[in-house]
């Protein structure tokens, strides 16, 4: 049984079913989930049936595609409704996206020393006991110890309140702060995240996931959608890891878990604008943007790991703002190729996505989401207009910003733990001269020289052979010396790196959507040329950084849990190497993290006392946030112009491109 064939189940439904199991059945839950995954399923309308055995059926009723009530999962076995099958089915199914917040917004209350609702009461006795909340914790998001003594560093890592300008005194409108209920919900989220760190992927089974789902549901009701969404992401990634999903990456779970813990911690300390960012939003609303004159840039195919496919067309406004028009639905790469030649869903325009990428639109009554997506409501009117070449205004201005400034802007947009404001993008617009292919452990990429003598590695966005990315990159590698304008997406790394999305045609006529349009050998300046391999490159500013030694321990904790990290032994040699690399804070964090993982105290009778999960979670969070911040700094530094005489780096002339 593929989990994708089951309907999504609301988080509170899964949590309720798991909490209702007896302790004996909870111990059998993970095995039941595995066993149920091997059973055949079939769907009839809104009802999905799982054949538990030859005589027992399990049904999930999902009107609208989501199981929203506990009663919508039924089983015909003798132990129903208190059987393990219902909970196992809910745990095997995908977790549904969070529903919109309740219409009435909670009124912010002044901070107080106590929460109105104790965390244990919010979770329920069984779930709270599984997280150790039946006894008041010694520390939590409001009292987590800071593992470094640098106040500025702690603030940058989100472990202390960030400094904000002091507004003019206004007794009638004090800055917004978290209510007692919100702080209590944050405590629950912190405890649930700390429990994942304690157990690791292998130990974070259905019961631990259920506590996260209950915490996410409670956070949504308390108007904390950002933290609730992070908890839901952790559950999804835990399930992917335990199921052996090939698309799973430990780094993604590290990011989601650090976002969960960091946001939960900040709820108790944030105020004003920071509190609004920490709270977040469930939905991205579209707001009116009047009349827009848009100019097409390019169209990229979109293929997701979940089996969805489609396209996203990028356009720019007269002021240089970037917007997108997308069409993504279940279907994979095949759908992406087909949708590219379908009409854009925007007003009365008859342009296809391919055509819009080279033409223009005049839009009235435009609506735009915070991340730049154009709405297609009934009031939106759009007609076809003339496009312009990349070398003509207003598009030409996109290539005038220095690469280092573009990289810094893209990093702000893609930063793993930044407060999302929806502005900016991760696209870079560069003038380059192609140098040839470069062999890497994971394959081959294209090396190019851009402004300031910076060498950037260009890779494919998607290696699917149905798309044109891979073949086009191979052909461009056979054209060393070609000078192009390119559009790429930043890949955070210790050396300049992009996924190549579009470029001017090697002949200088028009542009190429590298995922959709296929270059031919006849398009190259020398059709008989073969791939040219550039000489090996020296490491960039962070090429030899020992930061990976700390990153490895952070990931090992997520994979194996706190206890396994404590058994890894002395880290003196690693910390010595990190200090030699100029990262004393990283060395201190590694020392503190390892010591906290191994620390277990005993009572007067020699019995082991419970581990300090909150303290360990605080050290792990600091290490995760620190490694991300340093990695982003190294990435930004790699894009700075090389330290040499500017006269020694010739400018890169670029062929024009027809619109």
């Amino acid at each position: 049984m593929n989990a994708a064939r089951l309907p999504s189940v609301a988080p509170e439904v899964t949590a309720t079913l798991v909490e209702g199991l007896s302790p004996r059945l909870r111990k059998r839950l993970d095995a039941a989930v595995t066993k149920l995954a091997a059973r055949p399923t079939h769907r009839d309308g809104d009802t999905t049936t799982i054949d538990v055995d030859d005589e027992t059926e399990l049904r999930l009723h999902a009107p609208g595609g989501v199981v929203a009530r506990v009663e919508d999962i039924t089983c015909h076995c003798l132990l129903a409704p208190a059987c393990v099958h219902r909970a196992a089915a809910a745990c095997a199914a995908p977790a549904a996206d969070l529903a919109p917040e309740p219409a009435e917004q909670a009124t912010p209350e002044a901070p107080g020393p106590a929460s109105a609702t104790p965390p244990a009461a919010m979770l329920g006795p069984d779930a709270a006991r599984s997280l150790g909340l039946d006894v008041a914790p010694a520390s939590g998001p409001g009292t987590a110890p800071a593992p470094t003594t640098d106040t500025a560093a702690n603030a940058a890592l989100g472990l202390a309140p960030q400094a904000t300008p002091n507004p003019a005194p206004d007794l009638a409108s004090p800055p917004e702060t978290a209510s007692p209920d919100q702080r209590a919900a944050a405590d629950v989220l912190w405890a649930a995240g700390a429990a994942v760190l304690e157990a690791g992927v292998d130990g974070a089974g259905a019961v631990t996931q259920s506590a996260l789902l209950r915490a996410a549901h409670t956070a949504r009701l308390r108007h904390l959608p950002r933290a609730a969404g992070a908890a839901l992401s952790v559950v999804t990634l835990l399930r992917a890891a335990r199921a052996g999903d090939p698309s799973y990456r430990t780094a993604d779970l590290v990011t989601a878990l650090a976002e969960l813990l960091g946001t939960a911690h900040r709820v108790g300390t944030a105020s004003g604008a920071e509190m609004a960012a920490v709270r977040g939003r469930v939905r991205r609303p579209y707001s009116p943007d009047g009349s827009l004159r848009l100019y097409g840039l390019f169209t990229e195919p979109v293929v997701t790991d979940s089996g969805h496919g489609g396209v996203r067309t990028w356009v720019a406004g007269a002021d240089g703002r970037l917007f997108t028009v997308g069409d993504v639905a279940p279907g994979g790469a095949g759908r992406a190729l087909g949708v590219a030649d379908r009409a854009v869903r925007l007003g009365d325009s008859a342009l296809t996505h391919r055509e819009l990428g080279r033409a223009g639109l005049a839009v009235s009554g435009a609506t735009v989401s915070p991340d730049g997506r154009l709405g297609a409501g009934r009031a939106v009117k759009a007609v076809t207009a003339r496009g312009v070449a990349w070398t003509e205004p207003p598009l030409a201005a996109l290539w005038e910003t220095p690469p280092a400034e573009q990289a810094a802007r893209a990093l702000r947009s893609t930063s793993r733990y930044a407060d999302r404001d929806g502005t900016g993008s991760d696209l870079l617009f560069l003038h380059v001269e192609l140098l040839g292919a470069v062999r890497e452990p994971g394959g081959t990429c294209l090396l190019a020289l851009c402004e300031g003598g910076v060498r950037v590695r260009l890779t494919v966005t998607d290696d699917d052979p149905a798309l044109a990315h891979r073949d086009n990159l191979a052909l461009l590698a056979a054209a060393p010396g070609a000078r192009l304008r390119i559009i790429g997406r930043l890949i955070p790394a210790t050396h300049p790196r992009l996924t190549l999305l579009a470029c001017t045609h090697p002949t200088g006529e028009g542009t190429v959507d590298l995922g959709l349009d296929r270059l031919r050998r006849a398009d190259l300046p020398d059709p008989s040329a073969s791939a040219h391999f550039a000489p090996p490159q020296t490491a960039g500013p962070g090429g030899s950084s020992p930061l990976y030694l700390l990153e490895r321990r952070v990931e090992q904790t997520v994979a194996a849990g706190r206890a396994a990290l404590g058994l890894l032994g002395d880290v003196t040699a690693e910390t010595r190497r990190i200090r030699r690399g100029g990262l004393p804070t990283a060395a201190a964090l590694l020392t503190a993290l390892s010591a906290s993982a191994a620390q277990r105290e005993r009572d007067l009778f020699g019995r082991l006392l419970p581990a300090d999960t909150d303290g360990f979670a605080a050290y792990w969070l600091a290490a995760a946030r620190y490694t991300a911040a340093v990695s982003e700094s190294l990435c930004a530094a790699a894009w700075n112009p090389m330290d040499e005489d500017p006269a020694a780096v010739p400018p890169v002339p670029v062929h024009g491109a027809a619109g």
Side-chain angles (χ1 to χ4, degrees):
M1 178 185 69
N2 188 341
R5 296 175 56 189
L6 295 178
S8 299
V9 178
E12 62 271 24
V13 171
T14 303
T16 300
L17 287 172
V18 174
E19 291 165 3
L21 294 176
S22 66
R24 180 180 63 85
L25 290 180
R26 287 190 188 185
K27 294 179 181 179
R28 297 171 48 191
L29 181 56
D30 288 328
V33 172
T34 302
K35 182 178 179 180
L36 206 62
R39 301 302 301 168
T41 66
H42 53 90
R43 179 172 297 183
D44 182 10
D46 292 334
T47 301
T48 299
T49 302
I50 305 173
D51 296 329
V52 178
D53 53 40
D54 294 339
E55 300 178 353
T56 304
E57 288 185 342
L58 182 65
R59 294 180 179 175
L60 293 83
H61 182 57
V66 176
V67 178
R69 301 182 308 162
V70 173
E71 297 80 10
D72 289 337
I73 301 181
T74 58
C75 182
H76 295 160
C77 74
L78 295 177
L79 296 178
C83 62
V84 73
H85 302 133
R86 298 171 70 217
C91 293
D97 290 336
L98 293 170
E101 294 183 26
E104 60 277 1
Q105 181 70 22
T107 303
E109 301 178 33
S115 299
T117 308
M122 298 173 71
L123 265 182
D126 293 332
R129 197 173 297 114
S130 69
L131 294 177
L133 289 179
D134 49 335
V135 179
S139 60
T143 59
T148 67
T149 58
D150 189 338
T151 303
N154 287 341
L157 297 174
L159 293 178
Q162 297 180 354
T164 56
N166 292 326
D170 186 355
L171 298 179
S173 302
E176 178 190 2
T177 58
S179 69
D181 278 350
Q182 287 177 325
R183 289 194 297 275
D187 288 344
V188 173
L189 286 164
W190 175 276
V196 174
L197 283 178
E198 179 71 17
V201 168
D202 290 340
V207 175
T208 302
Q209 295 168 26
S210 170
L212 277 166
L213 293 173
R214 174 62 72 191
H217 176 62
T218 302
R220 181 188 70 83
L221 295 179
R222 300 294 186 265
H223 307 286
L224 296 173
R226 176 175 174 178
L232 203 60
S233 296
V234 171
V235 172
T236 301
L237 289 166
L238 281 173
R239 291 178 175 177
R242 292 171 63 84
D245 189 332
S247 65
Y248 166 76
R249 294 173 62 250
T250 302
D252 293 337
L253 182 53
V254 168
T255 299
L257 193 52
E259 167 71 6
L260 168 62
L261 292 171
T263 304
H265 169 73
R266 292 174 63 194
V267 166
T269 60
S271 63
E274 185 188 0
M275 181 61 201
V278 170
R279 186 178 61 247
R281 289 176 295 197
V282 172
R283 298 186 183 276
R284 296 181 178 272
Y286 285 82
S287 58
D289 208 336
S291 298
L292 296 173
R293 178 66 168 91
L294 304 175
Y295 303 87
L297 279 166
F298 71 100
T299 299
E300 63 170 320
V302 177
V303 180
T304 68
D305 293 331
S306 60
H308 288 65
V311 295
R312 181 189 298 118
T313 299
W314 290 81
V315 296
D319 57 358
R321 285 190 299 162
L322 299 181
F323 305 90
T324 60
V325 182
D327 185 348
V328 180
R335 186 180 188 278
L337 295 174
V339 169
D341 294 312
R342 294 184 189 175
V344 174
R345 298 174 182 173
L346 194 66
D348 300 323
S349 172
L351 291 173
T352 66
H353 282 273
R354 285 182 192 264
E355 294 169 342
L356 176 58
R358 296 173 175 84
L361 279 179
V363 183
S364 63
T367 58
V368 184
S369 72
D371 59 356
R373 290 176 295 165
L374 292 169
R378 295 181 180 179
V380 178
K381 306 296 181 184
V383 295
T384 303
R386 185 184 70 88
V388 299
W390 287 2
T391 53
E392 300 175 15
L395 298 186
L398 297 172
W399 278 265
E400 294 175 0
T401 304
E405 293 184 23
Q406 294 192 52
R409 179 207 63 212
L411 276 172
R412 289 192 298 270
S413 175
T414 61
S415 179
R416 281 178 270 181
Y417 307 115
D419 294 335
R420 303 296 183 205
D421 58 4
T423 60
S425 77
D426 54 358
L427 299 186
L428 271 68
F429 303 82
L430 304 177
H431 302 146
V432 301
E433 177 182 345
L434 303 183
L435 301 179
V438 174
R439 292 188 177 92
E440 295 183 322
T444 302
C445 67
L446 178 61
L447 188 68
L449 179 69
C450 68
E451 181 182 340
V454 176
R455 287 174 168 81
V456 55
R457 299 191 180 204
L458 308 174
T459 67
V460 297
T461 301
D462 194 311
D463 205 35
D464 192 315
L467 304 177
H469 293 293
R470 184 175 60 184
D471 294 339
N472 285 336
L473 195 76
L475 278 176
L476 291 175
R483 290 165 173 168
L484 309 171
R485 290 184 185 230
I486 66 169
I487 302 176
R489 178 168 288 116
L490 178 71
I491 300 177
T494 56
H495 57 271
R497 194 176 188 88
L498 300 176
T499 54
L500 190 57
L501 300 172
C503 68
T504 50
H505 199 283
T507 63
E509 298 293 330
T511 60
V512 182
D513 296 337
L514 290 166
L516 299 171
D517 305 327
R518 290 189 178 272
L519 292 170
R520 298 173 298 176
R521 190 164 294 276
D523 295 325
L524 302 181
D526 180 4
S528 62
S530 59
H532 171 76
F533 284 87
Q537 302 298 307
T538 58
S544 58
S545 170
L547 184 66
Y548 77 92
L549 296 171
L550 178 58
E551 290 177 322
R552 182 177 62 182
R553 298 302 191 191
V554 169
E555 293 191 358
Q556 285 173 338
T557 303
V558 170
R562 179 198 58 78
L565 183 65
L567 296 175
L568 292 178
D570 185 39
V571 295
T572 303
E574 296 178 18
T575 57
R576 186 182 301 115
R577 182 177 175 185
I578 292 173
R579 290 183 187 279
R580 286 201 303 266
L583 298 172
T585 302
L589 285 170
L590 178 56
T591 300
L593 182 66
S594 300
S596 180
Q599 182 180 6
R600 290 298 300 273
E601 297 181 354
R602 296 179 180 271
D603 61 16
L604 295 176
F605 299 98
R607 296 171 298 192
L608 282 174
L609 295 174
D612 181 12
T613 57
D614 288 328
F616 176 75
Y619 285 117
W620 181 89
L621 174 60
R625 297 291 294 266
Y626 174 85
T627 55
V630 173
S631 295
E632 291 168 6
S633 296
L634 291 173
C635 178
W639 283 91
N640 289 327
M642 298 184 67
D643 187 14
E644 56 185 346
D645 183 4
V649 182
V652 182
V654 182
H655 292 300

